[in-house]
Amino acid sequence: MSVELDGTQRRMLAEMFALLGDPSRLGIVLSCRHQRRSVSDIAEASGLSMSLVSHHLRLLRTAELLKVEREGRYAFYSIADAHVEHMLDDMVDHVLHANGASRALSTQPGGT
Amino acid sequence: MSVELDGTQRRMLAEMFALLGDPSRLGIVLSCRHQRRSVSDIAEASGLSMSLVSHHLRLLRTAELLKVEREGRYAFYSIADAHVEHMLDDMVDHVLHANGASRALSTQPGGT
DNA sequence: CCTATAGTTGAACATTTGTTCAATTGTTTG
DNA sequence: CAAACAATTGAACAAATGTTCAACTATAGG
């Protein structure tokens, strides 16, 4: 085990991290986790303007983190595939279980 | 299953993603994965100036992704804890196994 | 004590990037 | 066809961020 990544893979990974590294965008992605959502839906849920949401969605679409299904005048977004979904589950899981070691401040288990 | 994150947790996760989202920084972190490394060591391995590496190390240290052990005039950096290490293993794993679904172009298994 | 090595720090700069606003495309319905 | 709604797009702007350079601290050795 403990394999290394080549330059291209590192850049791919970094790009993905960077995309997920913006709070607005992470919120958008997480809101599409278990159901597909229209753009206005996402906008309302996240408190962001539809324009801004659309800009972010384009990036997430291009990076193949989200996919879109168009129906009439609506566009429904959801996680691109099982691979991405699994990865997100992992990361969410990690944050939820990050109680002991790494959190120096606010070490309070079971915080809502 | 399928738990949601609150605002604070989302921001924590986003911050972590953002830190790992810079190619230089990701390289630095990955180079500290399985052995501790001195700053000059990291600088040489990554092709970055020692000053820049030091700046990045401060951020990674502050976010508790890396930890430092000082010995004499040397400073050795390594992954902060098992939790972070596991998370990185996961992500590296994901990138390595991202053959089928999400890769639209260059779908060639086993590419170096 | 003086020089060399290892690392950190802060200011300054250039670039990137998130956000807003207005205009535009496409679709449905009166 | 016109009006309303859903979404996309591009230009422009402000703020954040990566990088460089020079100065500085600290430890080791002659």
Side-chain angles (χ1 to χ4, degrees):
Chain A
M1 302 303 109
S2 96
V3 217
E4 297 303 319
L5 301 182
D6 62 42
T8 308
Q9 292 170 324
R10 263 221 318 271
R11 244 164 294 143
M12 275 178 48
L13 187 53
E15 193 193 314
M16 219 201 60
F17 276 139
L19 248 4
L20 262 22
D22 177 70
S24 309
R25 229 146 37 205
L26 183 60
I28 292 174
V29 170
L30 291 179
S31 78
C32 294
R33 267 221 297 167
H34 301 301
Q35 67 234 283
R36 55 181 222 166
R37 280 193 189 276
S38 72
V39 181
S40 349
D41 200 358
I42 298 173
E44 183 172 17
S46 60
L48 304 171
S49 76
M50 192 163 61
S51 171
L52 179 53
V53 169
S54 187
H55 277 298
H56 283 315
L57 285 173
R58 182 170 48 80
L59 297 176
L60 296 167
R61 219 170 46 211
T62 302
E64 294 179 90
L65 285 169
L66 294 185
K67 69 168 187 281
V68 59
E69 291 160 337
R70 318 245 175 204
E71 281 175 32
R73 48 181 165 176
Y74 294 90
F76 295 102
Y77 284 84
S78 52
I79 307 296
D81 56 50
H83 174 254
V84 174
E85 197 149 338
H86 182 213
M87 198 162 56
L88 287 172
D89 287 348
D90 268 9
M91 297 307 288
V92 169
D93 224 56
H94 277 303
V95 171
L96 287 171
H97 299 146
N99 288 330
S102 62
R103 283 293 88 196
L105 20 100
S106 83
T107 310
Q108 223 134 278
T112 301
Chain B
M1 319 312 109
S2 91
V3 216
E4 298 304 319
L5 301 181
D6 63 39
T8 308
Q9 292 170 322
R10 265 221 316 272
R11 245 163 294 146
M12 275 177 48
L13 186 53
E15 193 192 314
M16 221 202 59
F17 276 139
L19 248 3
L20 262 22
D22 177 69
S24 309
R25 229 144 40 204
L26 183 59
I28 290 174
V29 170
L30 291 180
S31 78
C32 294
R33 267 221 297 167
H34 301 301
Q35 68 235 284
R36 57 180 219 168
R37 280 192 188 277
S38 73
V39 182
S40 348
D41 201 358
I42 298 173
E44 183 172 16
S46 59
L48 305 170
S49 76
M50 192 161 63
S51 170
L52 179 53
V53 169
S54 187
H55 278 297
H56 284 314
L57 285 174
R58 181 171 47 82
L59 297 175
L60 295 166
R61 220 170 46 210
T62 302
E64 295 179 89
L65 286 169
L66 294 186
K67 69 166 188 282
V68 59
E69 291 160 339
R70 318 241 176 210
E71 283 175 28
R73 48 180 163 174
Y74 294 90
F76 295 102
Y77 284 84
S78 52
I79 307 297
D81 55 51
H83 174 257
V84 174
E85 197 147 339
H86 181 214
M87 199 163 55
L88 287 173
D89 287 348
D90 268 9
M91 297 307 287
V92 169
D93 223 55
H94 276 304
V95 171
L96 287 172
H97 298 147
N99 291 329
S102 61
R103 283 290 90 196
L105 19 99
S106 83
T107 310
Q108 223 135 279
T112 298

